[in-house]
Amino acid sequence: MLAHLSDSGYQWAITEDVQELPGLVDSLRPDAILVSATGKRATEALSAVRQDARLREVRVLADLTRSRSEVLRKLPVDDWVRSLEELSSRLDSALRERRLTERTRNRMERLLEITQAATSSLELEQILRLAVEKVGAVVNADRCSVVLVDDTSARTASVVATLEDPGLSLDVDLARYPELRRALETRQAVLVEEAQRDPLMEEVRPTIAPLGVRSILVQPLVCQDELLGALFLRISRGSEGFGRDEQEFAQAVAAALANCIRNARLHTALKRKRDELELAYVERYRELTEANRRLKDLNRLKDEIIAVCSHDLRAPLQVLLGHGRLLLEGGLDPQQKQSAEAMIRQGRKILGLVESLLERGKGDVARLSIEPRVLDMSVLCKEIATELEILAAERGVALRAEAPESMMLIGDELKLHEVLQNLITNAIHHAQNAGEVVVKASRLARPDGDVARIVVQDDGKGIPPEELPLVFDRYRSGAKGGGGTGLGLAICKEFVELHGGEIWAEAPPEGGAAFIFTLPLAQEVSRAVQNLPHKDTAEQPRVLVVEDEPEIAAVLVEVLRSRYRVDVARDGAEGLARARTSKPDLVVMDVFLPKLDGLDAAVALKSSSDTAGIPVILLSAHQGVADKVRALNLGAVDYMSKPFNAMELLGRTERALKLRKAETELERTSSLMRRNGNDPLTGLYDRRGLMLRLDHEVSRGRRYNRPVSLAVLRPDRPVPDELLRGIPEVMRARLRTQDILGHLSEGVLAVVLPECNVEAGRNVIGRLLPDVEKHTGMEYQSAVADVSHDSEPAERILERLGAPAPVPKL
């Protein structure tokens, strides 16, 4: 058998000792192993071969030429040699199978490397160069390239990666590569087995003949029906072409590369689109910035024009009004006096229009605020009716005002003048020829306070019922609008509601249209509180009114004087000084005050210990201030908008005083608790007092859904009494006034932190510990827990945090 192996061209080595096997493997590196031993030795030999890691892929054959024992037949080998004639064929088959396995493994490993690279963060050029390198290591090709095209109709393609020159990048004419052109057109793999005889290569054969090109394989790169390019392989002067394995390998590589190229192109397109959008955004931002600048310039120019016009109009009007008043003071006959009064009245009207122009120029913020003063609505109705008599006469309409009684209210005269003027002018325009417009002003009693009821009624064609709810909408005037925009009625609605009133339209049974609005009156004291018992002056609470407008201050004083002793301050600084000296029970203060703003005055009151307990009610005619007050958390107990009525003001003050009384009672109770549960050594709460306060804070926290934390500070050894006496000052310097301190015993301290969660509590105690340790010279351990939602008893929570057990009473 050995001679037969030599004759067949095999190199061989033989051993009868399995111990020599490792040495033979190192020297020979066998491609196959033939087991010729019999019996037990055959089993031992095969076991030694299988245990050697270097021989796991080597094919093992059993020699049955000399012995056909059952042991050899049952050995788990790869093949059996039954005669010398089949020895060579069996060995050749084993070697071919091994080479095929290695080649398959090699291809799979390279394909895995290419796939991993295709899904990595590498650039596309790097991935393609790596791919051609791996393909070239598996396929025996002298050229391996990746060719890309932009579209199917392209006449040129780009070589982006090639095995011969990794840095090569060039464009090729597809007319010179018929095999590549066909693969791109058909999207099918093209295999040219014999380039010198294949009809496809006829037109380029003179070019490829000197190069010795033998076989060509072109695998198109297609992903989701999109043609991207091709993988080009060429073998020159070789004896072997592209077998089935190489074709399948090229197909698998092409699929991975196609997906990678498509993703890269999508990413590039997305990046380009993002860059375009960013550029467009920048350009749009520049345009908007420039437009905004131009608008600001125009707005500034508008303000300048309004300021100049108003100044140029105001000055001559003031001169005219001044000389008109001088004329009235002189000796005029009745007719001349009537003319002078008409001139002054119309001059004031023009001056009011100038003020309205200025206010409109300031924008919506100014338009939606009021400048209140005390005025008589009946007088205002009569004055405006007199002013518009000439307009009514020109249209043949009779205009009269019925306002028999005085109706005082707090409001913006300019805005209310505009409301009445709009409604009356509108009624004159829609009245019948030789018709009539009536303005009626009357007092209407309501449970929450009397109101002024103003009715402007005409005898025109009226408003359809379905249009009544629409007449106050902006830019929609309904049937009565006559084609106008409806802005006048919309402004009327805004101004009336700004004063706390209501406005609506009705269709009277007798025909025509009626516009009705109500405004809250500043109630007389006797009328507002006629059913309320009067208390003795000495027992009445003291209220400080801080208001710079004398007329509004007078109304406030008259309303409040029925129940309280009232003092008045004219600005914020005076109000703050009076509050500190007289200690009133309540402060009613305007927000916008001279010298010191009402908001700043409220902060100053709450920041001082002697005035912090005084409740403050803030007043303002500007919308949105209440939100500002709440956001700044100034401590004001209430907020009221101007105008207001007497009953509302009295109700708010009564509620504020009751709140202060409850807080005073709570403070008195707390003082009593401190007297009955304090530690004589430190002045802090003892265990009993701390438990009472803790129960109170936990109950309040649960009622208002606010956190309460409890902290225990425990020293490493008892603290001497002389050091404990200074502990309260040290701790108070780091804690809030509402935080509750207790000394349990021997230097163990407890802190109750209302409205403080565990995390914030740990931060507070973390800042406190160094000061306590420095004062006592002891090391302290701390623990913090949230007790607002803990169902455990307080004593058990204390013990869990490290507090000593309570001393039992004897």
Side-chain angles (χ1 to χ4, degrees), residues 679-693:
D679 174 45
L681 182 63
T682 62
L684 304 177
Y685 286 113
D686 60 10
R687 196 181 195 98
R688 178 176 176 276
L690 182 72
M691 289 297 100
L692 290 174
R693 287 303 308 273

Side-chain angles (χ1 to χ4, degrees), residues 87-150:
L87 177 60
S88 296
S89 62
R90 296 290 183 181
L91 286 174
D92 289 343
S93 176
L95 294 178
R96 281 196 305 272
E97 187 174 350
R98 182 185 179 188
R99 284 195 294 271
L100 179 60
T101 302
E102 291 177 350
R103 193 160 52 243
T104 303
R105 182 185 300 109
N106 185 28
R107 289 172 181 158
M108 294 302 296
E109 290 174 353
R110 298 297 179 268
L111 180 60
L112 179 61
E113 292 174 0
I114 294 172
T115 305
Q116 290 175 341
T119 57
S120 68
S121 59
L122 295 175
E123 294 292 335
L124 179 61
E125 290 77 6
Q126 294 177 284
I127 296 173
L128 297 180
R129 289 170 188 170
L130 176 66
V132 296
E133 178 185 343
K134 300 301 179 183
V135 172
V138 173
V139 180
N140 185 26
D142 62 301
R143 172 163 293 183
C144 177
S145 304
V146 176
V147 182
L148 299 183
V149 294
D150 292 331

Side-chain angles (χ1 to χ4, degrees), residues 579-581 583-584 604-614 660:
R580 288 172 173 171
T581 55
K583 304 294 189 303
L605 288 174
K606 294 303 174 183
S607 302
S608 178
S609 59
D610 57 342
T611 58
I614 301 175
R660 187 190 183 190

Side-chain angles (χ1 to χ4, degrees), residues 314-331:
R314 272 176 170 172
L317 280 173
Q318 294 292 352
V319 173
L320 289 174
L321 291 174
H323 284 283
R325 284 191 292 270
L326 289 175
L327 286 174
L328 282 177
E329 293 173 1

Side-chain angles (χ1 to χ4, degrees), residues 519-530:
L519 297 172
L521 293 174
Q523 308 283 350
E524 297 90 353
V525 175
S526 58
R527 184 178 180 87
V529 293
Q530 57 185 351

Side-chain angles (χ1 to χ4, degrees), residues 48 58 120 124 173 196 230 253 277 332 348 388-389 408 422 434 499 505 548 551 565 567 584 616 650 696 754 785 795:
V58 177
S120 68
L124 179 61
D173 185 1
Q196 301 302 324
V253 171
L277 290 175
L332 299 177
R348 287 175 178 170
L388 296 176
E389 279 182 352
M408 306 300 294
N422 284 346
H499 284 77
D548 60 320
E551 295 176 336
R565 290 175 289 169
D567 294 327
V616 177
L650 292 173
H696 173 75
E795 284 286 357

Side-chain angles (χ1 to χ4, degrees), residues 656-674:
L657 290 170
K658 286 182 179 179
L659 177 63
R660 187 190 183 190
K661 182 178 180 181
E663 291 179 348
T664 304
E665 182 64 23
L666 177 61
E667 182 63 26
R668 189 189 67 79
T669 305
S670 300
S671 300
L672 180 62
M673 290 169 59
R674 285 195 291 271

Side-chain angles (χ1 to χ4, degrees), residues 569-588:
R570 298 301 181 185
D571 56 65
E574 182 186 354
L576 184 60
R578 284 179 176 267
R580 288 172 173 171
T581 55
S582 63
K583 304 294 189 303
D585 298 290
L586 176 68
V587 175
V588 178

